[in-house]
mmCIF file of all heavy atoms in Angstrom:
data_model
loop_
_atom_site.group_PDB
_atom_site.id
_atom_site.type_symbol
_atom_site.label_atom_id
_atom_site.label_comp_id
_atom_site.label_asym_id
_atom_site.label_seq_id
_atom_site.Cartn_x
_atom_site.Cartn_y
_atom_site.Cartn_z
ATOM 1 N N ASP A 1495 108.786 85.486 102.748
ATOM 2 C CA ASP A 1495 108.772 85.834 101.330
ATOM 3 C C ASP A 1495 110.019 85.211 100.586
ATOM 4 O O ASP A 1495 110.663 86.015 99.749
ATOM 5 C CB ASP A 1495 108.685 87.335 101.078
ATOM 6 C CG ASP A 1495 107.260 87.816 101.136
ATOM 7 O OD1 ASP A 1495 106.399 87.011 101.390
ATOM 8 O OD2 ASP A 1495 107.092 89.094 100.950
ATOM 9 N N GLY A 1496 110.320 84.002 100.844
ATOM 10 C CA GLY A 1496 111.403 83.326 100.121
ATOM 11 C C GLY A 1496 112.798 83.639 100.698
ATOM 12 O O GLY A 1496 113.676 82.861 100.482
ATOM 13 N N ARG A 1497 112.969 84.584 101.582
ATOM 14 C CA ARG A 1497 114.272 84.830 102.236
ATOM 15 C C ARG A 1497 114.401 83.980 103.404
ATOM 16 O O ARG A 1497 113.408 83.697 104.152
ATOM 17 C CB ARG A 1497 114.374 86.319 102.580
ATOM 18 C CG ARG A 1497 114.461 87.283 101.474
ATOM 19 C CD ARG A 1497 114.449 88.677 102.060
ATOM 20 N NE ARG A 1497 114.732 89.756 101.112
ATOM 21 C CZ ARG A 1497 113.890 90.561 100.593
ATOM 22 N NH1 ARG A 1497 112.686 90.515 100.978
ATOM 23 N NH2 ARG A 1497 114.323 91.458 99.706
ATOM 24 N N LYS A 1498 115.564 83.508 103.730
ATOM 25 C CA LYS A 1498 115.867 82.753 104.939
ATOM 26 C C LYS A 1498 116.261 83.586 105.986
ATOM 27 O O LYS A 1498 117.139 84.506 105.838
ATOM 28 C CB LYS A 1498 117.059 81.699 104.671
ATOM 29 C CG LYS A 1498 116.560 80.641 103.577
ATOM 30 C CD LYS A 1498 117.733 79.733 103.343
ATOM 31 C CE LYS A 1498 117.328 78.707 102.203
ATOM 32 N NZ LYS A 1498 118.471 77.868 101.912
ATOM 33 N N VAL A 1499 115.628 83.370 107.234
ATOM 34 C CA VAL A 1499 115.918 84.272 108.371
ATOM 35 C C VAL A 1499 116.183 83.364 109.644
ATOM 36 O O VAL A 1499 115.516 82.367 109.868
ATOM 37 C CB VAL A 1499 114.671 85.171 108.752
ATOM 38 C CG1 VAL A 1499 114.984 86.056 109.891
ATOM 39 C CG2 VAL A 1499 114.354 86.011 107.492
ATOM 40 N N LYS A 1500 117.258 83.703 110.295
ATOM 41 C CA LYS A 1500 117.682 82.907 111.495
ATOM 42 C C LYS A 1500 117.786 83.891 112.632
ATOM 43 O O LYS A 1500 118.103 85.064 112.485
ATOM 44 C CB LYS A 1500 119.029 82.307 111.193
ATOM 45 C CG LYS A 1500 119.403 81.187 112.152
ATOM 46 C CD LYS A 1500 120.600 80.493 111.578
ATOM 47 C CE LYS A 1500 121.000 79.292 112.477
ATOM 48 N NZ LYS A 1500 122.104 78.484 112.037
ATOM 49 N N LEU A 1501 117.535 83.313 113.846
ATOM 50 C CA LEU A 1501 117.683 84.175 115.126
ATOM 51 C C LEU A 1501 119.037 83.946 115.744
ATOM 52 O O LEU A 1501 119.587 82.954 115.587
ATOM 53 C CB LEU A 1501 116.623 83.847 116.143
ATOM 54 C CG LEU A 1501 115.104 83.994 115.623
ATOM 55 C CD1 LEU A 1501 114.165 83.285 116.652
ATOM 56 C CD2 LEU A 1501 114.845 85.386 115.403
ATOM 57 N N SER A 1502 119.494 84.974 116.480
ATOM 58 C CA SER A 1502 120.579 84.806 117.214
ATOM 59 C C SER A 1502 120.133 84.988 118.792
ATOM 60 O O SER A 1502 119.004 85.130 119.005
ATOM 61 C CB SER A 1502 121.686 85.895 116.926
ATOM 62 O OG SER A 1502 121.168 87.128 117.487
ATOM 63 N N ASP A 1503 121.184 84.810 119.670
ATOM 64 C CA ASP A 1503 120.703 84.992 121.093
ATOM 65 C C ASP A 1503 120.246 86.413 121.415
ATOM 66 O O ASP A 1503 119.634 86.571 122.411
ATOM 67 C CB ASP A 1503 121.964 84.654 121.949
ATOM 68 C CG ASP A 1503 122.359 83.226 121.937
ATOM 69 O OD1 ASP A 1503 121.462 82.396 121.532
ATOM 70 O OD2 ASP A 1503 123.547 82.837 122.129
ATOM 71 N N LYS A 1504 120.698 87.327 120.614
ATOM 72 C CA LYS A 1504 120.314 88.703 120.903
ATOM 73 C C LYS A 1504 119.047 89.218 120.039
ATOM 74 O O LYS A 1504 118.701 90.342 120.174
ATOM 75 C CB LYS A 1504 121.487 89.707 120.567
ATOM 76 C CG LYS A 1504 122.608 89.338 121.507
ATOM 77 C CD LYS A 1504 123.785 90.386 121.168
ATOM 78 C CE LYS A 1504 124.963 89.969 122.048
ATOM 79 N NZ LYS A 1504 126.159 90.822 121.710
ATOM 80 N N SER A 1505 118.540 88.357 119.263
ATOM 81 C CA SER A 1505 117.422 88.773 118.411
ATOM 82 C C SER A 1505 116.144 89.012 119.286
ATOM 83 O O SER A 1505 115.865 88.338 120.259
ATOM 84 C CB SER A 1505 116.985 87.683 117.425
ATOM 85 O OG SER A 1505 118.025 87.352 116.578
ATOM 86 N N LYS A 1506 115.422 90.076 118.943
ATOM 87 C CA LYS A 1506 114.082 90.406 119.684
ATOM 88 C C LYS A 1506 112.973 90.278 118.692
ATOM 89 O O LYS A 1506 113.013 90.822 117.586
ATOM 90 C CB LYS A 1506 114.279 91.861 120.191
ATOM 91 C CG LYS A 1506 115.397 92.024 121.244
ATOM 92 C CD LYS A 1506 115.478 93.496 121.752
ATOM 93 C CE LYS A 1506 116.630 93.522 122.774
ATOM 94 N NZ LYS A 1506 116.943 94.839 123.145
ATOM 95 N N ILE A 1507 111.965 89.617 119.151
ATOM 96 C CA ILE A 1507 110.739 89.522 118.407
ATOM 97 C C ILE A 1507 109.573 90.088 119.239
ATOM 98 O O ILE A 1507 109.292 89.573 120.313
ATOM 99 C CB ILE A 1507 110.438 87.984 118.125
ATOM 100 C CG1 ILE A 1507 111.682 87.312 117.514
ATOM 101 C CG2 ILE A 1507 109.246 87.866 117.216
ATOM 102 C CD1 ILE A 1507 111.436 85.708 117.333
ATOM 103 N N LYS A 1508 108.954 91.151 118.710
ATOM 104 C CA LYS A 1508 107.864 91.814 119.379
ATOM 105 C C LYS A 1508 106.678 91.998 118.463
ATOM 106 O O LYS A 1508 106.810 92.106 117.342
ATOM 107 C CB LYS A 1508 108.416 93.128 119.928
ATOM 108 C CG LYS A 1508 109.502 92.942 120.972
ATOM 109 C CD LYS A 1508 109.594 94.073 121.957
ATOM 110 C CE LYS A 1508 110.582 93.836 123.071
ATOM 111 N NZ LYS A 1508 110.097 93.287 124.224
ATOM 112 N N CYS A 1509 105.522 92.191 119.108
ATOM 113 C CA CYS A 1509 104.334 92.548 118.290
ATOM 114 C C CYS A 1509 104.420 94.066 117.860
ATOM 115 O O CYS A 1509 104.757 94.838 118.633
ATOM 116 C CB CYS A 1509 103.074 92.221 119.140
ATOM 117 S SG CYS A 1509 101.494 92.709 118.189
ATOM 118 N N LYS A 1510 104.118 94.236 116.662
ATOM 119 C CA LYS A 1510 104.048 95.635 116.132
ATOM 120 C C LYS A 1510 102.943 96.473 116.743
ATOM 121 O O LYS A 1510 103.074 97.599 117.069
ATOM 122 C CB LYS A 1510 103.839 95.619 114.604
ATOM 123 C CG LYS A 1510 104.192 96.938 113.936
ATOM 124 C CD LYS A 1510 104.094 96.798 112.413
ATOM 125 C CE LYS A 1510 104.459 98.000 111.795
ATOM 126 N NZ LYS A 1510 104.475 97.889 110.286
ATOM 127 N N GLY A 1511 101.825 95.761 117.030
ATOM 128 C CA GLY A 1511 100.768 96.429 117.768
ATOM 129 C C GLY A 1511 99.851 97.412 117.133
ATOM 130 O O GLY A 1511 99.102 98.124 117.783
ATOM 131 N N SER A 1512 99.813 97.436 115.810
ATOM 132 C CA SER A 1512 98.882 98.326 115.166
ATOM 133 C C SER A 1512 97.446 97.734 115.217
ATOM 134 O O SER A 1512 97.282 96.632 115.577
ATOM 135 C CB SER A 1512 99.281 98.664 113.701
ATOM 136 O OG SER A 1512 99.404 97.407 113.014
ATOM 137 N N ASP A 1513 96.455 98.542 114.873
ATOM 138 C CA ASP A 1513 95.001 98.041 114.947
ATOM 139 C C ASP A 1513 94.817 96.706 114.317
ATOM 140 O O ASP A 1513 93.980 95.887 114.894
ATOM 141 C CB ASP A 1513 94.085 99.126 114.429
ATOM 142 C CG ASP A 1513 94.182 100.376 115.157
ATOM 143 O OD1 ASP A 1513 94.608 100.355 116.408
ATOM 144 O OD2 ASP A 1513 93.767 101.456 114.692
ATOM 145 N N ASP A 1514 95.358 96.454 113.204
ATOM 146 C CA ASP A 1514 95.002 95.161 112.538
ATOM 147 C C ASP A 1514 95.940 93.995 112.833
ATOM 148 O O ASP A 1514 96.009 93.110 112.010
ATOM 149 C CB ASP A 1514 94.861 95.328 111.004
ATOM 150 C CG ASP A 1514 96.165 96.077 110.476
ATOM 151 O OD1 ASP A 1514 97.031 96.387 111.163
ATOM 152 O OD2 ASP A 1514 96.167 96.197 109.172
ATOM 153 N N CYS A 1515 96.803 94.099 113.750
ATOM 154 C CA CYS A 1515 97.898 93.058 114.063
ATOM 155 C C CYS A 1515 97.404 91.953 114.973
ATOM 156 O O CYS A 1515 98.184 91.053 115.052
ATOM 157 C CB CYS A 1515 99.019 93.791 114.748
ATOM 158 S SG CYS A 1515 100.155 94.520 113.485
ATOM 159 N N ASN A 1516 96.337 92.106 115.656
ATOM 160 C CA ASN A 1516 95.800 90.882 116.463
ATOM 161 C C ASN A 1516 96.671 90.507 117.528
ATOM 162 O O ASN A 1516 96.666 89.368 117.985
ATOM 163 C CB ASN A 1516 95.390 89.893 115.488
ATOM 164 C CG ASN A 1516 94.399 88.880 116.120
ATOM 165 O OD1 ASN A 1516 93.550 89.400 116.877
ATOM 166 N ND2 ASN A 1516 94.327 87.690 115.769
ATOM 167 N N CYS A 1517 97.612 91.463 118.007
ATOM 168 C CA CYS A 1517 98.366 91.140 119.255
ATOM 169 C C CYS A 1517 98.758 92.583 119.858
ATOM 170 O O CYS A 1517 98.703 93.607 119.144
ATOM 171 C CB CYS A 1517 99.675 90.372 118.873
ATOM 172 S SG CYS A 1517 100.767 91.110 117.765
ATOM 173 N N SER A 1518 99.072 92.527 121.122
ATOM 174 C CA SER A 1518 99.288 93.835 121.791
ATOM 175 C C SER A 1518 100.673 94.325 121.593
ATOM 176 O O SER A 1518 101.645 93.508 121.519
ATOM 177 C CB SER A 1518 99.121 93.556 123.348
ATOM 178 O OG SER A 1518 97.798 93.186 123.585
ATOM 179 N N LYS A 1519 100.822 95.554 121.428
ATOM 180 C CA LYS A 1519 102.094 96.262 121.087
ATOM 181 C C LYS A 1519 103.064 95.970 122.282
ATOM 182 O O LYS A 1519 102.799 95.982 123.410
ATOM 183 C CB LYS A 1519 101.919 97.819 121.073
ATOM 184 C CG LYS A 1519 103.201 98.440 120.649
ATOM 185 C CD LYS A 1519 102.891 100.044 120.407
ATOM 186 C CE LYS A 1519 104.181 100.668 120.151
ATOM 187 N NZ LYS A 1519 104.852 100.400 118.881
ATOM 188 N N GLY A 1520 104.249 95.488 121.822
ATOM 189 C CA GLY A 1520 105.269 95.252 122.778
ATOM 190 C C GLY A 1520 105.377 93.833 123.237
ATOM 191 O O GLY A 1520 106.328 93.438 123.870
ATOM 192 N N ARG A 1521 104.289 93.041 122.960
ATOM 193 C CA ARG A 1521 104.342 91.646 123.436
ATOM 194 C C ARG A 1521 105.519 90.888 122.784
ATOM 195 O O ARG A 1521 105.775 91.069 121.566
ATOM 196 C CB ARG A 1521 102.982 91.015 123.059
ATOM 197 C CG ARG A 1521 102.990 89.575 123.380
ATOM 198 C CD ARG A 1521 101.942 88.795 122.593
ATOM 199 N NE ARG A 1521 102.369 87.375 122.522
ATOM 200 C CZ ARG A 1521 101.611 86.462 121.916
ATOM 201 N NH1 ARG A 1521 100.577 86.729 121.261
ATOM 202 N NH2 ARG A 1521 101.989 85.240 121.856
ATOM 203 N N SER A 1522 106.260 90.106 123.579
ATOM 204 C CA SER A 1522 107.445 89.489 123.033
ATOM 205 C C SER A 1522 107.087 88.071 122.649
ATOM 206 O O SER A 1522 106.223 87.404 123.188
ATOM 207 C CB SER A 1522 108.568 89.523 123.943
ATOM 208 O OG SER A 1522 108.168 88.889 125.158
ATOM 209 N N PHE A 1523 107.946 87.462 121.720
ATOM 210 C CA PHE A 1523 107.733 86.082 121.297
ATOM 211 C C PHE A 1523 109.184 85.522 121.565
ATOM 212 O O PHE A 1523 110.206 86.034 121.328
ATOM 213 C CB PHE A 1523 107.523 85.921 119.763
ATOM 214 C CG PHE A 1523 106.136 86.522 119.379
ATOM 215 C CD1 PHE A 1523 106.006 87.892 119.242
ATOM 216 C CD2 PHE A 1523 105.027 85.621 119.343
ATOM 217 C CE1 PHE A 1523 104.732 88.415 118.797
ATOM 218 C CE2 PHE A 1523 103.745 86.144 118.878
ATOM 219 C CZ PHE A 1523 103.711 87.518 118.691
ATOM 220 N N LEU A 1524 109.252 84.276 122.138
ATOM 221 C CA LEU A 1524 110.486 83.665 122.357
ATOM 222 C C LEU A 1524 111.283 83.284 121.237
ATOM 223 O O LEU A 1524 112.531 83.393 121.094
ATOM 224 C CB LEU A 1524 110.240 82.395 123.382
ATOM 225 C CG LEU A 1524 109.725 82.635 124.730
ATOM 226 C CD1 LEU A 1524 109.475 81.283 125.314
ATOM 227 C CD2 LEU A 1524 110.586 83.545 125.533
ATOM 228 N N ASP A 1525 110.629 82.668 120.158
ATOM 229 C CA ASP A 1525 111.263 82.332 119.029
ATOM 230 C C ASP A 1525 110.241 82.132 117.879
ATOM 231 O O ASP A 1525 109.120 82.561 118.063
ATOM 232 C CB ASP A 1525 112.037 80.935 119.241
ATOM 233 C CG ASP A 1525 111.079 79.852 119.726
ATOM 234 O OD1 ASP A 1525 109.881 79.831 119.429
ATOM 235 O OD2 ASP A 1525 111.607 78.996 120.496
ATOM 236 N N PHE A 1526 110.668 81.699 116.714
ATOM 237 C CA PHE A 1526 109.733 81.582 115.507
ATOM 238 C C PHE A 1526 108.573 80.623 115.815
ATOM 239 O O PHE A 1526 107.500 80.704 115.098
ATOM 240 C CB PHE A 1526 110.543 81.104 114.320
ATOM 241 C CG PHE A 1526 111.236 82.268 113.626
ATOM 242 C CD1 PHE A 1526 112.617 82.141 113.414
ATOM 243 C CD2 PHE A 1526 110.560 83.423 113.288
ATOM 244 C CE1 PHE A 1526 113.295 83.161 112.801
ATOM 245 C CE2 PHE A 1526 111.299 84.515 112.697
ATOM 246 C CZ PHE A 1526 112.673 84.317 112.533
ATOM 247 N N GLU A 1527 108.750 79.609 116.671
ATOM 248 C CA GLU A 1527 107.772 78.601 116.880
ATOM 249 C C GLU A 1527 106.408 79.274 117.630
ATOM 250 O O GLU A 1527 105.405 78.699 117.468
ATOM 251 C CB GLU A 1527 108.293 77.450 117.783
ATOM 252 C CG GLU A 1527 109.237 76.653 117.089
ATOM 253 C CD GLU A 1527 109.775 75.394 117.896
ATOM 254 O OE1 GLU A 1527 109.182 75.206 119.000
ATOM 255 O OE2 GLU A 1527 110.652 74.735 117.428
ATOM 256 N N GLU A 1528 106.632 80.361 118.233
ATOM 257 C CA GLU A 1528 105.555 81.097 118.873
ATOM 258 C C GLU A 1528 104.842 81.990 117.864
ATOM 259 O O GLU A 1528 103.703 82.538 118.144
ATOM 260 C CB GLU A 1528 105.986 81.855 120.026
ATOM 261 C CG GLU A 1528 106.388 81.031 121.275
ATOM 262 C CD GLU A 1528 106.511 81.845 122.488
ATOM 263 O OE1 GLU A 1528 106.420 83.092 122.504
ATOM 264 O OE2 GLU A 1528 106.699 81.180 123.630
ATOM 265 N N VAL A 1529 105.498 82.258 116.713
ATOM 266 C CA VAL A 1529 104.803 83.132 115.705
ATOM 267 C C VAL A 1529 104.014 82.401 114.779
ATOM 268 O O VAL A 1529 104.521 81.416 114.058
ATOM 269 C CB VAL A 1529 105.950 83.946 114.947
ATOM 270 C CG1 VAL A 1529 105.353 84.830 113.907
ATOM 271 C CG2 VAL A 1529 106.796 84.720 115.933
ATOM 272 N N PRO A 1530 102.686 82.690 114.552
ATOM 273 C CA PRO A 1530 101.849 81.849 113.570
ATOM 274 C C PRO A 1530 102.383 82.042 112.134
ATOM 275 O O PRO A 1530 102.663 83.056 111.646
ATOM 276 C CB PRO A 1530 100.499 82.506 113.824
ATOM 277 C CG PRO A 1530 100.523 83.278 115.103
ATOM 278 C CD PRO A 1530 101.966 83.751 115.220
ATOM 279 N N ILE A 1531 102.349 80.917 111.524
ATOM 280 C CA ILE A 1531 102.652 80.905 110.054
ATOM 281 C C ILE A 1531 101.650 81.828 109.364
ATOM 282 O O ILE A 1531 100.379 81.810 109.718
ATOM 283 C CB ILE A 1531 102.545 79.477 109.406
ATOM 284 C CG1 ILE A 1531 103.519 78.596 110.024
ATOM 285 C CG2 ILE A 1531 102.728 79.449 107.911
ATOM 286 C CD1 ILE A 1531 104.982 78.915 109.800
ATOM 287 N N GLY A 1532 102.008 82.657 108.388
ATOM 288 C CA GLY A 1532 101.123 83.609 107.693
ATOM 289 C C GLY A 1532 101.112 84.909 108.294
ATOM 290 O O GLY A 1532 100.672 85.909 107.735
ATOM 291 N N SER A 1533 101.812 85.159 109.356
ATOM 292 C CA SER A 1533 102.015 86.493 109.973
ATOM 293 C C SER A 1533 102.846 87.366 109.099
ATOM 294 O O SER A 1533 103.671 86.825 108.293
ATOM 295 C CB SER A 1533 102.645 86.352 111.452
ATOM 296 O OG SER A 1533 101.813 85.633 112.247
ATOM 297 N N PHE A 1534 102.619 88.668 109.216
ATOM 298 C CA PHE A 1534 103.514 89.623 108.442
ATOM 299 C C PHE A 1534 104.666 90.053 109.438
ATOM 300 O O PHE A 1534 104.434 90.399 110.494
ATOM 301 C CB PHE A 1534 102.634 90.887 108.067
ATOM 302 C CG PHE A 1534 101.547 90.517 107.142
ATOM 303 C CD1 PHE A 1534 100.261 90.448 107.621
ATOM 304 C CD2 PHE A 1534 101.776 90.282 105.818
ATOM 305 C CE1 PHE A 1534 99.167 90.085 106.777
ATOM 306 C CE2 PHE A 1534 100.759 90.005 104.968
ATOM 307 C CZ PHE A 1534 99.449 89.926 105.421
ATOM 308 N N LEU A 1535 105.900 89.917 108.847
ATOM 309 C CA LEU A 1535 107.074 90.258 109.641
ATOM 310 C C LEU A 1535 107.836 91.395 109.059
ATOM 311 O O LEU A 1535 107.965 91.493 107.862
ATOM 312 C CB LEU A 1535 107.924 89.033 109.771
ATOM 313 C CG LEU A 1535 107.297 87.729 110.210
ATOM 314 C CD1 LEU A 1535 108.371 86.630 110.363
ATOM 315 C CD2 LEU A 1535 106.725 87.948 111.586
ATOM 316 N N SER A 1536 108.296 92.346 109.894
ATOM 317 C CA SER A 1536 109.237 93.305 109.525
ATOM 318 C C SER A 1536 110.582 92.924 110.184
ATOM 319 O O SER A 1536 110.623 92.850 111.459
ATOM 320 C CB SER A 1536 108.830 94.768 110.099
ATOM 321 O OG SER A 1536 107.515 95.046 109.523
ATOM 322 N N ILE A 1537 111.609 92.738 109.352
ATOM 323 C CA ILE A 1537 112.855 92.280 109.825
ATOM 324 C C ILE A 1537 114.031 93.292 109.554
ATOM 325 O O ILE A 1537 114.119 93.738 108.503
ATOM 326 C CB ILE A 1537 113.191 90.973 109.076
ATOM 327 C CG1 ILE A 1537 112.044 89.893 109.508
ATOM 328 C CG2 ILE A 1537 114.526 90.376 109.372
ATOM 329 C CD1 ILE A 1537 112.056 88.626 108.767
ATOM 330 N N GLU A 1538 114.866 93.291 110.680
ATOM 331 C CA GLU A 1538 116.058 94.076 110.483
ATOM 332 C C GLU A 1538 117.175 93.033 110.774
ATOM 333 O O GLU A 1538 117.205 92.268 111.720
ATOM 334 C CB GLU A 1538 116.277 95.160 111.523
ATOM 335 C CG GLU A 1538 115.380 96.358 111.259
ATOM 336 C CD GLU A 1538 115.588 97.362 112.311
ATOM 337 O OE1 GLU A 1538 116.725 97.596 112.810
ATOM 338 O OE2 GLU A 1538 114.583 98.187 112.541
#
């Protein structure tokens, strides 16, 4: 949404896992390249 986001070595990327997320809860992603463009992200 226009904000720039970068990962560190300690960043964790996981599937939210709700009914409409199309991925299993807790599934991990190695980096942004594994996350499909258009996905909804919650970021801390």
Side-chain angles (χ1 to χ4, degrees):
D1495 274 1
R1497 292 178 170 106
K1498 294 178 181 179
V1499 181
K1500 195 171 182 177
L1501 299 175
S1502 72
D1503 293 339
K1504 297 180 180 179
S1505 302
K1506 294 179 181 170
I1507 310 174
K1508 296 203 176 269
C1509 178
K1510 192 172 185 179
S1512 57
D1513 293 338
D1514 55 353
C1515 279
N1516 206 26
C1517 59
S1518 300
K1519 183 173 178 65
R1521 174 196 158 183
S1522 62
F1523 298 83
L1524 296 177
D1525 53 34
F1526 283 125
E1527 290 184 8
E1528 290 192 352
V1529 179
I1531 299 291
S1533 297
F1534 298 102
L1535 306 183
S1536 301
I1537 295 171
E1538 288 184 30

